[in-house]
Amino acid sequence: MKKNNSLEEIAAALCAAHTVLLFPHVSVDGDALGSSVALCAALRKAGKTAHVVIEEELPDMVSFLDRGYCTEDPALPARPDVCVCVDCNEYRRFPKRKALFGSGALAMCIDHHKTSAPLLDLNHIDEGAAATAEIIYDLIPLLGVGIDAEIGGALYVGIVTDTGRFQYSNTTRKTHLIAAELHTIGVRTSEISILLYQNERMEKRLLESRILGEAERFANGRAVISCITQKMLKETGGRLDETDGVAEALRDIRGVELACLLKEKSARTIKVSLRSKRDFDAAAFSAENGGGGHARAAGFTVTNRSVADVKALLMRQLAERLS
Ligand SMILES: [Mn+2]
């Protein structure tokens, strides 16, 4: 296991580089992209050639962050001085960019996820940080660059999304102090909230209403189950990748301890998402079914069964567990 490097060591390596490529994880979220964009903008301000390398279309919700920072072009530039893993610490989090990441003279990781062994040349992993954006916030001044409103806006996106709008238990005093500082710098926090949270596609809302309409309570109201079928997607124009948050909406119902959302990914391949409130160990139940996750948010996939079959089976099993 390699040691965790100080932010000063990370900054020194970045200052010595001419070309830096930043690699957020796949299924990029607000923190991975916000942190990458903020660091990329800061490195460019410091006179470096820097790019955020991606391998997929950016999700609607965070695409506004990309003001010429992101590229999918794997040909550029040939031998970067530093490649940075941002908000993740493993190659498998960006399968299609692995070769490009490996072509860097120095491999670096900046992250806040739990890991047993930092594996790259330089690593800064702070599990206490609510978001990688908090780490980037501390790093940028060490590059000799000021945080302007554009950089600050990207950092704010990372913080507000990874803390569930300052609601999750990872939110600390420092999180709020950074947010306050970003506000002072001129980050338009309410405008960012509108772009992130008040910018939904109508089709997404229609799909959500169908999912809520299908919801069924069981186990004396302690559990709720619903589904998303391919038919519902076709009829509403909604997409499976924009149903994040629906399982949570089901969990938020009064009296519900466990919410269960079935997603028909293709005929007879059903992804099951579980969200619990206090006691139900969703990770353990998911592990029994070949999946995994956290105690309050976990999931697994069932193949060769219909949505109706999986639903009936789960209602039976879960009612027993919750009784
Ligand atoms: Mn994160």
Side-chain angles (χ1 to χ4, degrees):
M1 167 152 173
K2 292 193 180 163
K3 74 178 174 100
N4 215 16
N5 298 98
S6 68
L7 275 187
E8 285 74 15
E9 290 172 301
I10 296 286
L14 290 172
C15 285
H18 296 287
T19 318
V20 181
L21 297 183
L22 306 166
F23 293 72
H25 57 73
V26 284
S27 304
V28 69
D29 60 15
D31 187 32
L33 189 64
S35 295
S36 299
V37 162
L39 184 54
C40 185
L43 288 165
R44 286 183 184 180
K45 264 179 109 173
K48 316 291 180 189
T49 297
H51 300 279
V52 179
V53 187
I54 54 172
E55 62 184 75
E56 64 203 331
E57 206 186 312
L58 294 173
D60 274 358
M61 187 174 161
V62 292
S63 59
F64 70 90
L65 286 171
D66 182 21
R67 297 193 177 99
Y69 299 110
C70 298
T71 177
E72 282 188 76
D73 186 351
L76 100 341
R79 185 141 165 79
D81 296 320
V82 181
C83 285
V84 191
C85 217
V86 182
D87 197 41
C88 58
N89 48 54
E90 284 187 82
Y91 292 120
R92 69 185 171 118
R93 294 304 304 276
F94 38 87
K96 292 185 202 152
R97 290 164 288 164
K98 210 173 147 176
L100 182 59
F101 186 85
S103 75
L106 190 79
M108 180 186 285
C109 160
I110 303 173
D111 190 19
H112 68 133
H113 292 94
K114 201 183 180 78
T115 178
S116 49
L119 296 169
L120 306 181
D121 300 322
L122 286 172
N123 308 280
H124 186 85
I125 297 168
D126 180 359
E127 288 172 32
T132 295
E134 287 192 1
I135 305 170
I136 304 293
Y137 174 86
D138 288 336
L139 173 64
I140 288 174
L142 302 177
L143 303 173
V145 173
I147 295 178
D148 58 26
E150 182 166 339
I151 293 173
L155 293 174
Y156 187 78
V157 168
I159 291 168
V160 78
T161 54
D162 256 27
T163 59
R165 314 183 204 185
F166 304 98
Q167 288 180 57
Y168 299 153
S169 59
N170 61 353
T171 309
T172 64
R173 178 172 183 273
K174 181 177 176 178
T175 312
H176 287 292
L177 288 173
I178 293 173
E181 192 52 41
L182 295 177
H183 197 276
T184 305
I185 287 163
V187 172
R188 296 168 68 207
T189 53
S190 64
E191 183 58 28
I192 288 174
S193 294
I194 290 171
L195 290 170
L196 284 175
Y197 300 118
Q198 300 175 26
N199 195 23
E200 306 280 27
R201 296 199 314 133
M202 182 66 183
E203 292 84 351
K204 177 184 171 180
R205 279 289 190 254
L206 285 172
L207 176 60
E208 285 171 2
S209 86
R210 286 284 301 274
I211 300 166
L212 296 177
E214 295 282 331
E216 229 179 290
R217 280 193 283 182
F218 64 104
N220 295 318
R222 296 248 300 141
V224 62
I225 192 164
S226 190
C227 62
I228 307 166
T229 62
Q230 288 293 324
K231 185 163 175 274
M232 285 159 71
L233 296 175
K234 208 172 286 170
E235 286 170 3
T236 58
R239 299 192 306 255
L240 214 47
D241 68 356
E242 58 185 4
T243 55
D244 290 351
V246 184
E248 287 81 0
L250 293 167
R251 173 206 60 200
D252 293 348
I253 296 167
R254 184 181 297 173
V256 166
E257 167 59 27
L258 175 68
C260 190
L261 183 61
L262 312 186
K263 300 175 183 176
E264 188 182 40
K265 298 200 85 165
S266 58
R268 302 179 77 77
T269 298
I270 319 295
K271 185 164 181 267
V272 179
S273 294
L274 300 175
R275 296 291 181 275
S276 66
K277 204 172 273 171
R278 291 195 182 96
D279 309 317
F280 187 87
D281 190 344
F285 185 83
S286 295
E288 285 170 35
N289 289 281
H294 306 285
R296 303 289 162 255
F300 56 95
T301 300
V302 183
T303 52
N304 295 318
R305 279 181 188 271
S306 69
V307 170
D309 279 357
V310 177
K311 188 175 165 185
L313 184 72
L314 282 175
M315 284 174 81
R316 226 173 27 243
Q317 288 180 348
L318 292 169
E320 214 169 278
R321 296 283 182 113
L322 287 160
S323 65

